[in-house]
Amino acid sequence: MRYFIGNWKMFGIPSSHKILYKINAFFKRDKNNKKKYKIIIAPPFTLLHDFSKRFKSSKISISSQNCYHKDFYGAHTGNISPFMIKKLGINYTLIGHSENRASGENNKLIGEKISLALKNKLSVILCIGENKIEKRNKKTFSVLKKQLSQSITSKKYLKKIIIAYEPLWSIGSGRVPSKNELEKIIVNIKKYLNKKFRLKRKNIRILYGGSVDKQSVLNFKAINELDGFLIGGASKSSKNFIDIIKNFYK
Ligand code: PEP
């Protein structure tokens, strides 16, 4: 099963549901859909309730983009708990996106978010990735290992986590890793987690995110171990998002 996950970031108003209806219509008529892939869209918090109701009986799942790290309710102005998200009928949340890490989220906090999200029966899409300098200094894998080991604490957790490898230098930049470079990283992450948690490699899911569009997706088709994509900019247009899926299975 592959995943095509759209991260809308700070985009969307109530009428943006039209984008999802178009994606859903494509999915229903696409003969590749059976068992092959799953679509998840992460709109902003403001649209979660409406989208969750509208697409409840469709094949598109809805995800939140983040969640708070403690309590059901509490004096945490401006924050939303996993409990509140789950009560909307939502089953997924992104955690650890680099844009949130850049505003202060560290691995420890991300680990707390993961465990509270899982306790509330949300599956987690955990974002990890190195920046340009770390890549230049050949620190990619040590950065990824640290992000993983400091935020995932048990095998039980790992089963409910989809990992999205998103190099920061690629997000929104139009630059993507080569096929070989990406394949090596994905395989290394799987080997590392397999060794650390003794979970079979086939049960570990790793996606790639960063400037995925209908062109760049072609580079990655041949990577067997890659379990899908986290798509930012191109997920805000139904056509661009659908073209990625079409090109992947062409
Ligand atoms: C993202 O921010 O998760 C992302 C992958 O963005 P983009 O596709 O626009 O690079």
Side-chain angles (χ1 to χ4, degrees), residues 74-250:
H76 310 299
T77 304
N79 288 296
I80 319 273
S81 67
F83 165 79
M84 292 157 75
I85 295 166
K86 183 70 189 182
K87 287 289 177 194
L88 302 177
I90 306 277
N91 292 317
Y92 294 88
T93 184
L94 294 180
I95 292 182
H97 192 281
S98 59
E99 286 151 14
N100 300 130
R101 291 180 189 259
S103 45
E105 292 193 7
N106 59 25
N107 292 326
K108 181 174 173 289
L109 180 78
I110 288 166
E112 288 167 17
K113 289 186 182 217
I114 293 174
S115 68
L116 192 59
L118 294 177
K119 264 183 210 141
N120 283 279
K121 309 248 174 328
L122 291 173
S123 291
V124 169
I125 301 144
L126 169 64
C127 304
I128 57 170
E130 85 287 5
N131 65 29
K132 203 163 70 183
I133 298 164
E134 290 159 343
K135 177 179 165 58
R136 198 185 303 138
N137 294 339
K138 305 208 179 322
K139 293 268 185 285
T140 297
F141 205 62
S142 62
V143 170
L144 301 181
K145 264 194 336 206
K146 193 167 168 196
Q147 290 172 337
L148 292 166
S149 64
Q150 294 187 354
S151 58
I152 305 176
T153 47
S154 97
K155 173 176 171 169
K156 198 174 81 201
Y157 283 9
L158 189 56
K159 280 189 187 159
K160 287 277 171 199
I161 297 177
I162 299 168
I163 291 161
Y165 167 59
E166 299 208 300
L168 272 67
W169 49 269
S170 178
I171 294 178
S173 68
R175 292 185 53 214
V176 292
S178 69
K179 181 218 160 218
N180 288 349
E181 220 177 347
L182 181 60
E183 187 162 35
K184 200 168 143 202
I185 291 170
I186 300 294
V187 168
N188 280 342
I189 298 173
K190 287 197 175 176
K191 274 191 192 155
Y192 168 72
L193 292 171
N194 161 267
K195 209 165 151 210
K196 188 169 162 64
F197 295 107
R198 312 221 158 276
L199 194 63
K200 287 193 186 119
R201 257 161 75 172
K202 69 172 177 30
N203 294 328
I204 303 170
R205 292 153 303 168
I206 320 268
L207 318 183
Y208 168 72
S211 297
V212 175
D213 60 20
K214 65 177 180 188
Q215 225 32 60
S216 63
V217 79
L218 297 170
N219 300 334
F220 306 131
K221 281 167 76 146
I223 307 180
N224 272 337
E225 302 259 8
L226 186 60
D227 301 296
F229 300 93
L230 179 54
I231 303 156
S235 69
K236 296 183 288 187
S237 139
S238 54
K239 180 173 183 330
N240 292 345
F241 191 76
I242 291 166
D243 282 349
I244 290 172
I245 300 175
K246 279 186 181 163
N247 275 3
F248 187 82
Y249 288 107
K250 193 158 71 175

Side-chain angles (χ1 to χ4, degrees), residues 64-82:
S64 64
Q65 295 177 10
N66 203 349
C67 62
Y68 200 58
H69 61 286
K70 60 178 181 189
D71 300 339
F72 289 167
Y73 293 146
H76 310 299
T77 304
N79 288 296
I80 319 273
S81 67

Side-chain angles (χ1 to χ4, degrees), residues 5-9 11-12 16-24 26 39 41 212-214 231-245:
I5 304 181
N7 172 17
W8 278 14
K9 313 189 187 195
F11 165 84
S16 308
H17 59 239
K18 290 181 199 143
I19 299 170
L20 260 70
Y21 280 117
K22 288 186 190 152
I23 295 173
N24 193 37
F26 162 77
I39 294 177
I41 301 289
V212 175
D213 60 20
K214 65 177 180 188
I231 303 156
S235 69
K236 296 183 288 187
S237 139
S238 54
K239 180 173 183 330
N240 292 345
F241 191 76
I242 291 166
D243 282 349
I244 290 172
I245 300 175

